[in-house]
Amino acid sequence: MIKAVIIEDNPEISALNSMLLKEYFSDKIILAGKADSVDEGIKRIKSINPDLVLCDIEIKGGTSFDMLEQLRPYDFKTIFIT
């Protein structure tokens, strides 16, 4: 199973992406966590060690690029969901 984390500060979009993962990829992807800010995203990613991170670009506290820069080096795949 692929462990995924969603980093999105809009609750409706986060819920939609969660639903899409569950509906179309429940046999391949498990949603292991969510975050809505740069700081929370860093904490979640470090604690969960996901295989896949779905990121909105503009999030609380900066951008996903700021978050990814602070996590270097990382070995997960990233999909921007902006």
Side-chain angles (χ1 to χ4, degrees), residues 1 3 14 19 22-23 32 46 54 56 61 63 67 74 82:
M1 282 288 239
K3 288 188 298 184
S14 181
M19 184 271 306
K22 184 177 180 181
E23 185 173 335
K46 285 183 175 181
L54 291 88
D56 184 18
T63 68
M67 180 186 69
Y74 51 85
T82 190

Side-chain angles (χ1 to χ4, degrees), residues 62-76:
T63 68
S64 289
F65 299 113
D66 299 327
M67 180 186 69
L68 293 171
E69 186 67 33
Q70 293 181 52
L71 289 166
R72 285 183 176 247
Y74 51 85
D75 61 354
F76 52 82

Side-chain angles (χ1 to χ4, degrees), residues 46-61:
K46 285 183 175 181
S47 68
I48 293 170
N49 192 27
D51 305 299
L52 176 65
V53 177
L54 291 88
C55 302
D56 184 18
I57 292 178
E58 296 286 330
I59 55 177
K60 294 176 187 173

Side-chain angles (χ1 to χ4, degrees), residues 6-14 35-38 55-62 81:
I6 295 175
I7 313 295
E8 169 64 66
D9 59 353
N10 182 319
E12 292 84 20
I13 301 297
S14 181
D36 67 356
S37 68
V38 170
C55 302
D56 184 18
I57 292 178
E58 296 286 330
I59 55 177
K60 294 176 187 173
I81 54 173

Side-chain angles (χ1 to χ4, degrees), residues 22-54:
K22 184 177 180 181
E23 185 173 335
Y24 293 103
F25 301 103
S26 63
D27 59 333
K28 295 177 180 70
I29 299 174
I30 184 166
L31 181 57
K34 294 182 183 181
D36 67 356
S37 68
V38 170
D39 292 339
E40 190 178 334
I42 291 169
K43 289 176 190 172
R44 290 275 187 276
I45 290 169
K46 285 183 175 181
S47 68
I48 293 170
N49 192 27
D51 305 299
L52 176 65
V53 177
L54 291 88

